[in-house]
Each structure stands twice: as C-alpha cells, then as structure tokens.
Amino acid sequence: MAEFTMELNDEQKEVRDWLHGFAADVIRPAAAEWDEREETPWPVIQEAAKVGIYSLDFYAQQYFDPTGLGIPMAMEELFWGDAGIALSIVGTGLAAVGVLANGTEEQIGTWIPQMYGDANDVKVAAFCSSEPDAGSDVASMRTRAVYDEAKDEWVLNGTKTWATNGGIANVHVVVAVVDADLGSKGHASFIVPPGTPGLAQGQKFKKHGIRASHTAEVILDNVRVPGSCLLGGKEKLDERLARARERAKAGGERVKNAAMATFEASRPAVGAMAVGTARAAYEVALDYAKTREQFGRPIIDNQGVAFELADMRTQIDAARLLVWRASWMAVNGKPFTAAEGSMSKLFASETAKKVTGQAIQILGGNGYTREYPVERMHRDAAIYTIFEGTSEIQRLVIARTLAGVPIR
Ligand SMILES: Cc1cc2nc3c(=O)[nH]c(=O)nc-3n(C[C@H](O)[C@H](O)[C@H](O)COP(=O)(O)OP(=O)(O)OC[C@H]3O[C@@H](n4cnc5c(N)ncnc54)[C@H](O)[C@@H]3O)c2cc1C
C-alpha cells in the first residue's frame, strides 16, 4: 500500500519551480500587451518551445506522472502567469491528447510533431467539436463525415465554432457524425492535415477575456481527407459502431455514459487552470492589502479586508485539493462514483470567478483599471465556468451520478 502524502516529490518541486520561473519572467510580463492586441502570442510560444515547455515530450512527461499531479501542477503555474497566453501554449496539447487517446501509433507519430512544429518554426493545433447548435448538447452535432469507398477518403461538411486555434492551426482535429442514429457514440475524430482544401476560418471572436488565445469558427466545405486520417482506423470504427448498435438495441444509455466518463478524467486539468488564475489574483490582492494605507494603517488591518483574504485563500486551497484528488483518482483508475472530476472543475472555476472579483474590490479603484492585472484576471476567469462543460452541466453530471440515473 502506497504511503499517503500531500507533499510533492523533489522532481515535481523542481518542475514546478522551473515552470513558475517561466510564468513569472516570460508570461506575466507579456500578459497585458497580448490581452490588448487580442492576437496569438507567437513569440512567447516560441520561447516556451525553446526551453522545452511547448512540446509533446513535456506534456507527455506530466501526463504520465504516476501521482497524477504533473498536469494540474503544470496548468496551475502556467495559468498563474496569464490565462490567455497559457491557453495559447497548452491549446495544442488538448488537440494532441485527442490523437494520443484515439490514434494509432502511426497517426501519433505522423501528426503530433506537425501539431507543434519546431522551436524555430512553431505551429499550433485545434480541437473542433462544438458547433453553433451543439454546445452543451454534443450529441446534436451536425457536421457529417461520409466515407467515399472508391477513393478511400472521408468527406467532411459542417460548421464548427469556438475552436481554440481554429483556422490558424497547422493540424485540425475534427469530430464529426458518422452514424446519426447513435448519438455521441456515432461520432468519430478526423485529422485534417495542413493546407487541406475546403477548410477555412470563419469569424474570429472578440472576447471578454483570455484574449491572447485565438478562438474562431471553422468551416468545412467538402473537405476530403485520406482514409488514414480517421483516428483509430476504419476497422476499429466499424467494430465500435457495431457494438454501439447492439447496445442501443439492448437499452441504450450505457453507451452514452462511457463518453461522459472520458470527459470526467480531463476536467481536473481545467480546474487547475482556474486555481492558477485565482491564486494569481489572490497574491496581488494580498500584497496590495499589506501596502495600501488608508486611515493611517494598511487596509489589511481592517477585519473586513482580512476576512475576504482568508476566505479567498481557503477556497483556493480547497479547490486545489479537489483537483488533486480527482487527478490522483484518474491516474489510479479509481471510478468517479460521485463525479469527482466534475466536482473539481465546478468548484475551482466558480472559485476563480469569485476570488478574482474579490481581488478587484480589495484593490478599489486601481482594481478596476488596466494598470493592475486583477481586472484582466477577472475577465479571464469567466471562461472556466463555460468551456469544457459549463457549471450547470457539471452540476447535472454530479447530480445524475449521485442519483444513479443515466447522465443523458
Ligand atoms: C473561449 C472559448 C474557447 C473554446 N474552445 C473550444 C475548443 O477548442 N473546442 C471546442 O470544441 N469547443 C470550444 N469551446 C466551446 C465550449 O466548450 C462551449 O461554449 C460550451 O460547451 C458551452 O456550449 P454553448 O456555448 O453552446 O452554450 P449552451 O450549451 O448553449 O449553453 C447556454 C447556457 O445554457 C445552460 N444549459 C444548457 N443545457 C443545460 C441543461 N441541460 N441544464 C441546465 N443548463 C443548461 C448552459 O450551462 C449555459 O449557461 C470554447 C468556448 C469558448 C468560449
């Protein structure tokens, strides 16, 4: 039986401090500029590539950390630096995980290096699932993938939206419907290689926060990709569809729960991003409260301010513990019997929204200006309760799991 410890090991501490140094020295100083520019911070991504943070190797090392804490620790530090820039750095990793999870060894070897490029010519990748009429309700997706047997090609048609790095990515991973009768079990993922005709960027969104991260529509108009671009391959897809049809005939719902379980395992990573933003705002507020004087004493000497800080810190620590627990459970194959992955994402993202708002209040007028970072952090924090499943969807997953009823 492994000994229980709440301490990071020496190797983890070293990685955490290294990431923190990059976040403090490179990401944070660039944050305000890229937020104003609302553009992908290519020079910062390149810096990250040069030191080895923007690479599959780094991501994989954290992913395979046997304690499960590698990814949450990395996310917290990078997003502590700045959420928009950090999402530009880790967005490719989210698409790469889609390939790692479903692709063959050959697909992994071919496409993941093209997602990252190299330190002198960095590239990004996009994961395109959401659609204008299929956000929370993923099963109502309409983008179709039809197999052209004569040419061994798949033909993709539809409109994706909200894609991080959509249209500027070298490689797009696109989820599409191959069998409309099977709900989300009738979906499959496809690689769209660089320069494929028919894929175009639609509207680029002007956003409230995480403005350094590019978010856009992706239009697929008769996009033809080789059969080899179906992740996992045709044989595996046919087997999976046959099983799903059998199960659908036999009663249905178990099929959909399997997909929800996969999301459960990735949700703590988003919770960790939220912890990073919340901690950043809390630290600014704490420093400010110790140095800002009114009525002849630092404002932290007022219980009204000090108690706010006490609550902020307590909630951030509680959020991190939920994230770490879910990450540890995921890596150890413990079943999420109370939707602990969703719990961690729900609590951490709501905490980030709340704590960044409290930080603005503690900084008073300065908190409301762009001279201080908490205004940006508050705008950034609003994303966590929306993407990768809204707070309402997390509550729905937790509630249905507790009730023992099917999630959809
Ligand atoms: C900046 C940004 C980046 C993103 N990046 C990506 C990406 O890279 N790839 C990708 O595929 N997607 C991405 N998304 C999409 C994101 O995952 C969706 O926005 C999210 O899932 C919500 O979908 P929606 O916006 O259509 O909202 P809706 O699903 O329309 O929800 C609207 C409101 O209704 C509520 N609601 C819906 N159904 C229920 C219900 N059953 N019970 C209670 N309340 C409900 C929601 O909680 C929400 O408050 C991104 C979004 C943003 C904003």
Side-chain angles (χ1 to χ4, degrees):
M1 193 70 178
E3 213 177 286
F4 181 75
T5 172
M6 303 279 281
E7 280 238 290
L8 297 179
N9 61 39
D10 289 347
E11 203 181 314
Q12 288 169 325
K13 282 185 192 154
E14 205 175 295
V15 174
R16 180 198 59 192
D17 294 347
W18 171 60
L19 288 171
H20 187 76
F22 186 81
D25 299 343
V26 182
I27 297 181
R28 184 71 69 84
E33 179 193 341
W34 293 100
D35 174 57
E36 289 296 336
R37 286 173 67 164
E38 297 194 46
E39 285 168 13
T40 301
W42 290 107
V44 185
I45 301 175
Q46 194 156 359
E47 269 313 290
K50 280 195 182 132
V51 299
I53 291 172
Y54 186 70
S55 72
L56 176 67
D57 275 1
F58 171 72
Y59 212 79
Q61 259 171 30
Q62 303 317 313
Y63 194 78
F64 291 114
D65 175 347
T67 67
L69 299 190
I71 290 285
M73 193 185 65
M75 294 295 171
E76 180 177 334
E77 293 309 323
L78 294 174
F79 281 73
W80 174 92
D82 177 64
I85 294 177
L87 190 62
S88 297
I89 293 173
V90 308
T92 297
L94 303 178
V97 165
V99 178
L100 277 176
N102 301 312
T104 61
E105 287 207 357
E106 201 185 334
Q107 288 169 329
I108 292 168
T110 305
W111 299 113
I112 292 188
Q114 296 192 49
M115 291 182 162
Y116 285 94
D118 62 62
N120 296 316
D121 183 19
V122 287
K123 306 282 187 204
V124 292
F127 179 75
C128 311
S129 171
S130 302
E131 296 183 2
D133 292 322
S136 302
D137 185 9
V138 180
S140 67
M141 179 181 294
R142 288 203 209 129
T143 295
R144 289 303 298 255
V146 176
Y147 188 52
D148 178 347
E149 201 159 359
K151 293 189 173 155
D152 183 26
E153 286 177 345
W154 287 89
V155 188
L156 306 179
N157 276 292
T159 299
K160 293 292 177 184
T161 195
W162 308 121
T164 300
N165 297 333
I168 62 166
N170 201 36
V171 176
H172 290 77
V173 177
V174 174
V175 186
V177 177
V178 290
D179 185 330
D181 295 333
L182 292 176
S184 54
K185 266 290 160 181
H187 297 173
S189 300
F190 299 86
I191 292 284
V192 180
T196 304
L199 184 148
Q201 182 185 304
Q203 182 188 177
K204 177 188 168 183
F205 295 104
K206 289 179 81 72
K207 304 195 298 295
H208 177 62
I210 55 163
R211 300 197 303 185
S213 170
H214 172 105
T215 317
E217 287 177 332
V218 173
I219 320 288
L220 302 147
D221 180 14
N222 278 321
V223 171
R224 286 186 162 266
V225 298
S228 59
C229 285
L230 165 65
L231 286 178
K234 182 95 172 42
E235 207 174 304
K236 226 170 134 190
L237 173 71
D238 288 341
E239 278 170 25
R240 182 159 66 78
L241 293 178
R243 271 201 312 272
R245 285 184 197 112
E246 281 303 307
R247 283 193 196 152
K249 257 193 252 161
E253 292 300 351
R254 266 181 55 216
V255 169
K256 288 167 183 165
N257 289 348
M260 296 307 296
T262 315
F263 290 128
E264 270 291 282
S266 65
R267 282 181 176 145
V270 181
M273 298 174 188
V275 171
T277 300
R279 192 184 109 210
Y282 156 78
E283 287 176 6
V284 174
L286 179 64
D287 278 355
Y288 193 89
K290 284 178 180 170
T291 50
R292 169 71 176 169
E293 291 196 5
Q294 285 293 281
F295 302 101
R297 59 184 187 173
I299 58 170
I300 199 169
D301 284 358
N302 300 292
Q303 200 180 65
V305 174
F307 276 18
E308 282 295 294
L309 287 159
D311 283 348
M312 289 158 78
R313 178 61 192 263
T314 303
Q315 297 209 359
I316 293 166
D317 282 14
R320 185 185 298 104
L321 287 174
L322 283 177
V323 165
W324 283 15
R325 176 181 71 165
S327 307
W328 174 84
M329 288 174 74
V331 85
N332 286 294
K334 307 266 178 213
F336 286 130
T337 50
E340 288 88 343
S342 287
M343 242 186 233
S344 71
K345 199 257 178 188
L346 170 64
F347 189 78
S349 55
E350 292 292 340
T351 294
K353 233 165 101 167
K354 185 158 175 227
V355 162
T356 52
Q358 289 168 295
I360 290 181
Q361 191 65 20
I362 290 172
L363 269 71
N366 280 331
Y368 199 63
T369 70
R370 295 196 182 176
E371 295 297 308
Y372 285 79
V374 291
E375 176 271 346
R376 183 181 68 250
M377 292 165 182
H378 188 49
R379 284 187 286 109
D380 292 345
I383 191 56
Y384 301 123
T385 62
I386 296 173
F387 69 7
E388 291 265 329
T390 64
S391 283
E392 292 73 25
I393 294 302
Q394 308 305 333
R395 290 191 181 97
L396 190 138
V397 171
I398 298 164
R400 291 189 179 169
T401 305
L402 297 179
V405 297
I407 288 168
R408 284 189 48 94

